[in-house]
Amino acid sequence: MNHVFYETFERHAHGQGIKAHSTHYCPGCGHGLIHKYLSESIAELDIQDKTVAVSPVGCSVFLYYYMNVGNQQAAHGRASVVALAQKLARPDSIVVAYQGDGDLASIGLAEIVSVAQLGLPITVIFVNNSTYGMTGGQMAPTTLIGQKMTTCPDGRTLSMGQPMKVAELIAGLDGPVYVERVALFDHKSRLQAKRAIKKALQVQIEGKGFSFIEVVSECPVQLKLEPVKASEWVRENMLPVYPLGVKKDTVASIEEPPVLKRIPYDSDKLLQEIGVTHESAPHFAKAFPTHLDPDDVGIKFAGAGGDGAQTAALLLTRAALQEGFDSTHIPSYGPESRGGTSYADVHVAHEVLSPAVPNPHILVAFNAPSLVKFASSVLEGGIILYDSAVIFEVPPVPRGVKVYGIPFAEIAQNLGRRILKNVVCLGAFCAATNIFPQESFLEALKRGLKKNPKIQEINREAFFEGVKAFEAAYPDKR
């Protein structure tokens, strides 16, 4: 039989010394026992080679250190939907989402309810230790009334809401077929926890449907108790609120389990439909734009919703990728749909280390609030390009920053389509920065916008109008 639980933990401190044989969990933590029962069940059911464990954000984020199965990491709260995607992609796999109470019952509540209601055969193990353990003991949805946490130092009160009974919540949905709450505080409860985990996996093997195991567990560190005392505390305080037992079991009554079929698709056809081809993009830049920065150029496009800042940023990113450089685009939308400021950060680099651009080399501002908000953040010696058709006053800027105003909106209006102001901007941007040759931007417009010849032509015209406007306004920059 294969060892599902690694004999030595090579991923834990590179498998050196005592850490090669010990988990990162605190003494008395329930995660180690749950890992043991899950691993034993996988081995006994002989499903190691088809099991995928989905790890959460939380104390068990390093589940993949210990279990010799397929592993995938999920964003905070999203393990259940990632598990669902795994199951749909590989219906023959056995998928286990492993989540804590802060992860599943707080940020991931919408996801777990939606996945459970679908009723498809996956297994979720939910660890309820009544606290945000990893991040310092904040109040969790499962924290008990009166329990003192860092965010409720005088104890949780009714005004903060009642503790969430997640197993009962999931059992009340039509989708799940097996829901049980178990514990770890003594030998009898541990045996039942093992049986429940194994049954949940068996339900999935048989394709019967969705199963959910809640494990009431100890967190001695946040309880500030020795392990034995922590187990006693769980028995005395958590069980009255979270009674153990089967909350739902309709497995025996299922005559026609849900059928999962892998949906075939033609990858080439799909890529063609979304405009991706195997054709390599031509390169026009002879070298990296080191006149802006030796390794990594940061650009911020900012404007009101509808100004086209996000599209302009995407087109620049596409141009950079076409030229063979590393490039990222990350959008940020403020609460304003019109009139305020939303922005996009772009990197053009040999290697992007972080997508954010708090201090850009280049700022492009489509409206006054954006210029006011970000002008002071531009690096010394950087560039600011703004729409002088709507911005009439420039705030103080750092030393050496070159400021250029071009009436993007007015030029676009004269072309008959105000929406083109972001393409006008790209033309002026190309002329102001010399980041890439004009052909790089034209190729990005060709590949990144609609293929309609009339649309392509008007965009080319708008781009060149931006170039001409900048060269006319700043002839010394040519």
Side-chain angles (χ1 to χ4, degrees):
M1 181 180 296
N2 290 331
H3 293 286
V4 177
F5 209 70
Y6 286 117
E7 290 186 320
T8 57
F9 306 134
E10 300 299 327
R11 291 169 173 156
H12 191 196
H14 305 291
Q16 301 298 313
I18 194 171
K19 290 188 176 181
H21 303 279
S22 61
T23 70
H24 70 287
Y25 298 120
C26 305
C29 171
H31 282 300
L33 281 174
I34 303 168
H35 288 7
K36 171 181 166 66
Y37 302 146
L38 177 58
S39 299
E40 289 177 347
S41 299
I42 290 169
E44 291 165 11
L45 293 168
D46 195 22
I47 55 173
Q48 179 182 9
D49 291 341
K50 59 172 63 176
T51 297
V52 179
V54 184
S55 303
V57 171
C59 286
S60 54
V61 68
F62 299 123
L63 177 68
Y64 64 91
Y65 278 6
Y66 312 119
M67 296 190 64
N68 186 14
V69 296
N71 285 279
Q72 183 167 353
Q73 202 69 42
H76 199 190
R78 274 65 181 185
S80 59
V81 289
V82 172
L84 177 66
Q86 281 280 1
K87 191 69 176 181
L88 292 172
R90 293 293 301 271
D92 59 333
S93 62
I94 303 300
V95 186
V96 181
Y98 190 103
Q99 299 182 256
D101 43 8
D103 184 78
L104 180 144
S106 183
I107 192 170
L109 186 61
E111 284 78 4
I112 187 59
V113 169
S114 299
V115 171
Q117 186 67 325
L118 283 174
L120 296 179
I122 65 173
T123 303
V124 175
I125 296 177
F126 167 60
V127 184
N128 172 7
N129 57 14
S130 77
T131 179
Y132 275 91
M134 185 179 76
T135 54
Q138 297 92 338
M139 186 182 79
T142 52
T143 298
L144 305 179
I145 296 295
Q147 187 176 353
K148 295 180 180 181
M149 311 302 293
T150 58
T151 49
C152 54
D154 296 324
R156 182 172 188 166
T157 65
L158 289 175
S159 65
M160 300 172 189
Q162 294 276 5
M164 184 177 292
K165 298 180 179 180
V166 180
E168 286 82 354
L169 171 66
I170 300 300
L173 302 172
D174 293 329
V177 297
Y178 174 49
V179 181
E180 184 171 357
R181 181 184 289 124
V182 295
L184 304 168
F185 52 76
D186 61 16
H187 181 65
K188 181 180 177 181
S189 66
R190 292 168 193 156
L191 287 176
Q192 185 54 35
K194 164 69 181 298
R195 283 193 289 266
I197 290 170
K198 186 173 181 179
K199 178 174 179 177
L201 292 173
Q202 184 66 47
V203 168
Q204 185 176 174
I205 292 169
E206 296 172 0
K208 294 293 183 69
F210 180 90
S211 55
F212 184 92
I213 305 300
E214 177 176 340
V215 185
V216 178
S217 178
E218 295 79 11
C219 183
V221 170
Q222 301 304 340
L223 289 173
K224 298 178 176 60
L225 296 171
E226 294 296 320
V228 173
K229 293 293 185 182
S231 292
E232 293 174 0
W233 186 92
V234 167
R235 185 204 300 263
E236 294 171 4
N237 294 277
M238 292 189 72
L239 262 58
V241 180
Y242 301 112
L244 306 183
V246 175
K247 306 304 175 183
K248 183 177 184 180
D249 188 352
T250 60
V251 176
S253 65
I254 297 171
E255 297 179 357
E256 296 185 12
V259 177
L260 281 174
K261 293 182 179 179
R262 179 183 284 179
I263 301 172
Y265 68 92
D266 185 328
S267 58
D268 288 336
K269 182 179 179 181
L270 179 64
L271 290 172
Q272 186 177 10
E273 287 176 355
I274 62 175
V276 178
T277 69
H278 296 295
E279 176 190 356
S280 297
H283 291 192
F284 301 99
K286 295 181 179 179
F288 187 80
T290 53
H291 61 285
L292 297 172
D293 188 89
D295 301 302
D296 188 341
V297 183
I299 307 104
K300 190 182 293 288
F301 290 84
D307 275 339
Q310 301 295 340
T311 301
L314 280 170
L315 288 168
L316 174 60
T317 304
R318 176 182 281 270
L321 293 171
Q322 288 169 183
E323 294 295 347
F325 302 119
D326 195 12
S327 185
T328 57
H329 157 266
I330 184 169
S332 180
Y333 301 97
E336 314 89 346
S337 59
R338 292 291 186 272
T341 183
S342 69
Y343 63 91
D345 286 348
V346 175
H347 277 275
V348 177
H350 292 299
E351 181 183 7
V352 177
L353 300 179
S354 171
V357 185
N359 299 107
H361 296 85
I362 307 164
L363 169 65
V364 178
F366 286 91
N367 68 350
S370 298
L371 184 59
V372 170
K373 183 173 183 178
F374 296 115
S376 62
S377 68
V378 177
L379 291 171
E380 290 187 5
I383 297 171
I384 293 177
L385 181 64
Y386 69 93
D387 188 349
S388 59
V390 295
I391 300 173
F392 308 111
E393 185 176 350
V394 177
V397 300
R399 184 175 56 188
V401 170
K402 296 176 282 293
V403 181
Y404 304 117
I406 299 294
F408 310 145
E410 180 182 316
I411 294 170
Q413 189 67 45
N414 291 338
L415 291 171
R417 299 188 68 180
R418 191 178 178 88
I419 196 173
L420 291 170
K421 63 182 176 179
N422 60 342
V423 183
V424 174
C425 162
L426 282 178
F429 180 91
C430 176
T433 65
N434 293 313
I435 190 169
F436 300 130
Q438 295 177 8
E439 291 83 358
S440 303
F441 288 92
L442 294 173
E443 189 69 21
L445 289 168
K446 175 183 173 182
R447 291 171 177 264
L449 299 178
K450 291 183 179 180
K451 300 300 187 285
N452 184 301
K454 291 184 178 179
I455 293 177
Q456 287 285 331
E457 182 56 38
I458 190 65
N459 277 296
R460 285 176 60 88
E461 184 180 356
F463 177 83
F464 282 118
E465 286 297 319
V467 173
K468 288 193 297 183
F470 184 87
E471 291 178 345
Y474 303 98
D476 294 339
K477 185 68 176 60
R478 296 182 65 178

